[in-house]
């Protein structure tokens, strides 16, 4: 155990058969007694012996997929009394079709996933907004962020194959035909394989990893996680400030330079007799236009590139923020297993079952950590590369503007 | 007469033989009575018939030249009791030698020129500074601005050939040997060909321009001048603000981004097990370095290019600011000549001399306006071109920084 993950003092002295007060997710109870829920789904954890790598095996029938969200449109209900924005969801799967979804249906999906998958990172939905929620800029921002969110879900080997996700991306739903949707909703909401009971459907390949090795890997991540979360949050805040500067300072400064040169142009062109003065005036007018163009670039390319990057960082912060709870449950579960082991086989009715269930849980946590870590490297590489390339383009476009003005002097 | 240059009500009713109260520069007196000063120098005004262009003829013996000011060094006097900065002046003339000058000697030169040449633009000296005047940055700024100032003087066809300028750029002066310097100073200070009397030494080529045509040209400039002065002043102020932003916002913003990425780098590199994570960490560390590099660019190239341009604009504002006084004197002189003409030959003792002197004065003003206008086009072309090229380089250097970071992803 690391300093970050101190055990609760006195926890060991309580009877492990009685669920502890903070065992809100029923993990102790599940480890000790298992679950009677019907298992009609299956999640597999693989193990790569060479690299010692524990990972989610993708569901053979429903592997991870991508989604597009397009054409947000204003819809209405009850003869126009209630209005909302509908998004067209296009899942890139064989039986994929375009379905319409409202924000409240995203909320439903989010809730289902959070309830069912306590030990998997389900990132928070981009926040709900009441005021100005039909403004075009907001709707487009919401569309982008929902697309990021849904893709995060659909790229997860476990989440993507779950019933709520499949129902969400495939079930047709209109005001007139909502029977199937409602039936699926009911089915999902009655699902018993949720929270700790869901562990019941997880199978893991035997590995040669010791319990201690698994604990070390989980601990290593638990130590890294807070630092990364903190510094991505700081980066996120810093970029928000930087974006505000684009709107409040960078762009207005360039605009102001454009205006100042434009006034000089007007003053200069009154001199119609000095040789070369009309050419000079035109050059100054072009310089003015260039600075106006640069102001526009700050508003468009310059800002958009930073904003896109920052939305992805924001999403990562949401992902990272899922871990403290998972790691906390894992810490409790470890205490529980340790206590079972210390008391020995005679003290716990289903001793070997409890040890096995504890092991499965640790594999689940490690698979989820490893999935996150691998994605982190791929995603951050991609995001940073895009940021740099877009910023390079932005500054190149600035030089294009300035070169256009410089060319008038040749 | 334009609206901008209204005549003083009632001015015509006064006896023109009595110098008016605001005839501080003795122009009316000179026009009416001439001068008894000994004429031992000569200034010529040329006329290009094809273009109708009135201009200063360069002095054949002493044409305009360039100056370099180098190696500002701390000097002292009275055994170290008084310390000052000495600049090495290197005039690019045949008998040129390197001479040492202090700021107070620049002040002396400025005063001599302003007194002697009331009708020529002598730009103000870059301001005196008491506190911090030995700081390197200030000394270098002062050197640059004095060099601009001295070159402006030495490129003027009339000023460059004047005794005070020649004395200033050639006379050797050390603490031990200051006889020649003092003799030249006395000579210049006793010079009688100053203010209106200086007009005595001006000769102009006969032209086919009518009085009205000359007045129209002068008036046209008088109308343009305030607008250009105002808008160059606004540009100057805007650029000062923009430069402050470089120090207060642009550079710190980039530095802050560098620090934020540096912290993310530190957080990332704690993950030593995920494949590709060390490469990602190094890329992030390079991004951090790139933003630090961009911060530095804002401080150096970015700022310097704007500052250099703005120092030149500042100098132009000083030049432009000389004109209102000259134009005001010219307006008074016009009133005086008009009055002489209205009263006819019998009312003024030296009638034809007065008309001639009035004409010479108008040629002087027009030659000075035309010299300014031509320089304006050349100079602004040059300054703007430099600004653009340096700004292009600056933004290109930013892309170089970003490309260095982007390359780590390949």
């Amino acid at each position: 155990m690391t300093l970050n993950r101190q055990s609760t003092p006195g926890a060991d002295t309580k009877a492990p058969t009685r669920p502890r007060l903070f065992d809100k997710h029923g993990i102790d109870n599940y480890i000790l007694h298992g679950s009677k829920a019907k298992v009609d789904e299956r999640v597999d954890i693989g193990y790569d012996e060479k690299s010692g790598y524990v990972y989610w095996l993708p569901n053979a029938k429903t592997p991870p997929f991508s989604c597009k969200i397009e054409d947000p449109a204003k819809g209405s209900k009850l003869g126009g009394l209630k209005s909302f924005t509908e998004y067209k969801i296009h899942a890139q799967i064989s039986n994929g079709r375009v379905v319409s979804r409202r924000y409240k249906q995203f909320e439903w999906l989010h809730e289902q996933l959070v309830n069912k998958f306590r030990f998997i990172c389900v990132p928070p939905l981009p926040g709900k907004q009441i005021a100005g929620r039909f403004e075009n800029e907001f709707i487009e921002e919401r569309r982008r962020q929902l697309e990021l969110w849904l893709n995060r879900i659909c790229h997860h080997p476990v989440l993507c194959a779950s019933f709520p996700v499949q129902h969400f991306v495939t079930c047709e739903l209109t005001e007139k035909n909502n029977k199937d949707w409602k039936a699926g909703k009911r089915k999902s909401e009655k699902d018993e394989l949720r929270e700790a009971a869901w562990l019941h459907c997880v199978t893991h390949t035997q590995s040669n990893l010791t319990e201690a090795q698994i604990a070390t890997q989980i601990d290593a991540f638990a130590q890294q996680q807070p630092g990364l979360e903190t510094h991505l949050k700081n980066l996120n805040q810093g970029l928000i400030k930087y974006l505000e500067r684009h709107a409040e300072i960078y762009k207005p400064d360039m605009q102001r330079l454009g205006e100042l040169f434009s006034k000089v142009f007007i003053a200069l062109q009154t001199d119609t007799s000095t040789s070369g003065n009309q050419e000079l005036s035109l050059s100054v007018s072009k310089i003015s236009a260039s600075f106006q163009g640069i102001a526009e670039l700050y508003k468009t390319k310059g800002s958009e590139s930073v904003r896109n990057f920052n939305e992805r960082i924001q999403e990562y912060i949401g992902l990272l923020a899922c871990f403290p709870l998972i790691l906390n449950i894992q810490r409790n579960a470890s205490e529980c297993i340790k206590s079972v082991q210390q008391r020995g086989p005679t003290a716990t009715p289903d001793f070997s079952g409890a040890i096995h269930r504890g092991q499965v849980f640790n594999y689940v946590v490690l698979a989820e950590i490893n999935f996150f870590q691998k994605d982190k490297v791929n995603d951050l590489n991609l995001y940073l590369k895009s940021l740099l390339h877009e910023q390079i383009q932005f500054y190149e476009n600035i030089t294009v503007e300035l070169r256009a003005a410089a060319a008038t002097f040749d």
Side-chain angles (χ1 to χ4, degrees), chain A residues 8-194:
Chain A
T8 313
D12 281 354
T13 61
K14 284 183 184 170
T17 43
R18 199 154 49 87
R20 278 173 287 178
L21 275 177
F22 49 77
D23 181 26
K24 281 186 191 150
H25 305 283
I27 190 70
D28 288 7
N29 198 17
Y30 172 76
I31 287 173
L32 294 171
H33 308 297
S35 157
K36 287 185 180 64
K38 205 184 108 201
V39 176
D40 53 359
E41 47 190 299
R42 184 187 166 119
V43 168
D44 287 293
I45 293 178
Y47 174 68
D48 183 70
E49 213 162 319
K50 235 174 85 187
S51 59
Y53 188 71
V54 170
Y55 62 99
W56 296 118
L57 270 167
N59 187 301
K61 252 176 64 194
T62 321
F65 58 93
S66 295
C67 280
K68 275 189 184 160
I69 299 186
E70 282 161 342
D71 304 328
K74 206 168 156 176
S76 65
K77 233 170 80 166
L78 309 174
L81 271 180
K82 256 186 109 168
S83 60
F84 46 81
T85 305
E86 265 188 338
Y87 302 88
K88 298 269 175 289
I89 316 274
H90 193 171
Q92 320 281 302
I93 45 178
S94 54
N95 61 339
R97 59 175 86 154
V98 177
V99 294
S100 285
R101 293 292 178 262
R102 297 171 49 186
Y103 185 78
K104 67 178 254 188
Q105 286 139 10
F106 278 91
E107 283 186 311
W108 173 82
L109 174 59
H110 178 259
E111 197 195 338
Q112 295 305 302
L113 295 175
V114 164
N115 285 337
K116 187 170 170 69
F117 301 106
R118 289 292 183 191
F119 319 120
I120 288 178
C121 287
V122 178
L125 266 185
K128 190 152 190 164
Q129 179 163 336
I130 305 305
R133 68 194 165 114
F134 296 121
E135 280 165 24
N136 286 343
E137 210 172 316
F138 165 70
I139 289 174
E140 170 53 21
E141 181 184 319
R142 163 67 56 86
R143 186 202 64 73
R144 278 196 319 271
Q145 294 177 351
L146 287 177
E147 196 175 68
L148 279 180
W149 182 83
L150 190 57
N151 273 292
R152 177 71 55 199
I153 302 296
C154 297
H155 279 117
H156 192 287
V158 178
L159 300 180
C160 73
S162 69
F163 175 75
V165 168
Q166 288 297 316
H167 184 59
F168 181 86
V169 299
T170 58
C171 180
E172 235 172 320
L173 163 65
T174 62
E175 204 180 342
K176 282 173 186 163
N177 174 14
N178 60 9
K179 261 190 211 164
D180 294 348
W181 174 257
K182 287 202 168 170
K185 264 184 80 173
R186 268 194 304 277
K187 181 182 166 190
S188 175
E189 284 155 17
K190 285 198 296 185
D191 184 7
E192 287 182 356
L193 278 181
R194 61 167 65 217

Side-chain angles (χ1 to χ4, degrees), chain A residues 195-233:
Chain A
E195 308 210 359
W198 167 80
L199 291 168
H200 211 26
C201 72
V202 178
T203 311
H204 73 90
T205 315
Q206 276 310 316
S207 80
N208 51 8
L209 288 177
T210 65
E211 251 174 79
Q213 283 173 320
I214 291 180
T216 304
Q217 289 188 31
I218 294 175
D219 278 1
F221 177 76
Q223 281 207 294
Q224 299 157 23
Q225 190 275 344
L228 190 57
E229 190 179 344
T230 300
H231 294 301
L232 285 184
K233 269 185 186 164

